[in-house]
Amino acid sequence: AGTTTDAIEGLRAMVDTTSPTTYGGISGTDFSWWRATKDTATTAMSIAKLQAGYGDVTIDGDKPNIAVTTQNLFDKYMNLLQPQQRFSDPGTANAGFQNLLFRGVPVLVDSHCPANYWLFLNEKYIKFFYHPDENFRMEPFRKPINQAVAVAQIFWWGNIGSSNRRMNMVFTGLSET
């Protein structure tokens, strides 16, 4: 969620346009071009609404390359596609689908995705940053008093970040029923 100061910031903070308004040291209030697209009004999932959200973060040939959502919304999307299914191979019809795509973009289920969320992300602009001096730096082993063990501390500092926040989009109010 990006609300804990000692945790990785997370995707929700990256796509949130209200809190925090500043991300990566750039104010979304002062520089509206920096903000991600956030749709809080859409409640009824439809192919047209998903297409509109996808289109909002497509600039020239640059477009989202992954979608992340809940199991319920994934199932709802699958049900939207059900009338379009055509099987030419009985094995495919019996086995079902292992994954779904939206305009060639894999739709993934994340058990940590909040209810009602559907994210379109462009991984080209999402990076994992770490501090070069604290990238799994290990201190020497020490033996605690009264124990037959040795312990060592391992340090890591880092965060997830975006170099182009506006290339990401989130729906936050899609009905899961």
Side-chain angles (χ1 to χ4, degrees):
T3 56
T4 307
T5 57
D6 62 350
I8 293 175
E9 196 154 19
L11 295 174
R12 284 176 33 201
M14 185 180 65
V15 297
D16 195 351
T17 59
T18 54
S19 175
T21 56
T22 300
Y23 183 82
I26 301 172
S27 169
T29 303
D30 296 337
F31 303 101
S32 60
W33 54 266
W34 174 240
R35 289 190 296 234
T37 300
K38 184 176 183 181
D39 182 328
T40 59
T42 300
T43 57
M45 179 190 278
S46 70
I47 301 296
K49 290 294 186 177
L50 293 175
Q51 177 57 35
Y54 179 91
D56 286 344
V57 290
T58 299
I59 299 174
D60 297 326
D62 220 356
K63 55 189 176 255
N65 59 1
I66 191 168
V68 180
T69 191
T70 64
Q71 183 67 56
N72 289 340
L73 288 176
F74 180 89
D75 294 345
K76 195 169 189 176
Y77 176 60
M78 185 171 64
N79 290 335
L80 287 174
L81 299 177
Q82 184 73 35
Q84 310 304 322
Q85 283 183 340
R86 304 293 182 266
F87 300 106
S88 59
D89 171 26
T92 302
N94 291 334
F97 294 104
Q98 294 299 313
N99 58 44
L100 295 176
L101 301 174
F102 181 85
R103 296 206 51 177
V105 172
V107 180
L108 305 177
V109 173
D110 182 349
S111 62
H112 300 288
C113 188
N116 313 108
Y117 270 60
W118 179 294
L119 296 98
F120 281 119
L121 305 172
N122 189 325
E123 293 175 305
K124 178 178 174 183
Y125 301 106
I126 300 172
K127 305 284 185 236
F128 201 56
F129 298 96
Y130 62 88
H131 191 289
D133 296 334
E134 297 294 338
N135 189 23
F136 293 98
R137 177 181 62 85
M138 187 171 151
E139 289 190 342
F141 279 98
R142 296 183 184 151
K143 291 185 82 173
I145 299 172
N146 300 331
Q147 295 182 27
V149 298
V151 296
Q153 288 183 310
I154 299 174
F155 295 90
W156 181 85
W157 294 352
N159 208 345
I160 191 171
S162 176
S163 61
N164 196 348
R165 192 177 179 198
R166 72 181 176 144
M167 297 304 291
N168 302 292
M169 189 276 170
V170 62
F171 290 98
T172 61
L174 294 175
S175 171
E176 297 211 0
T177 57

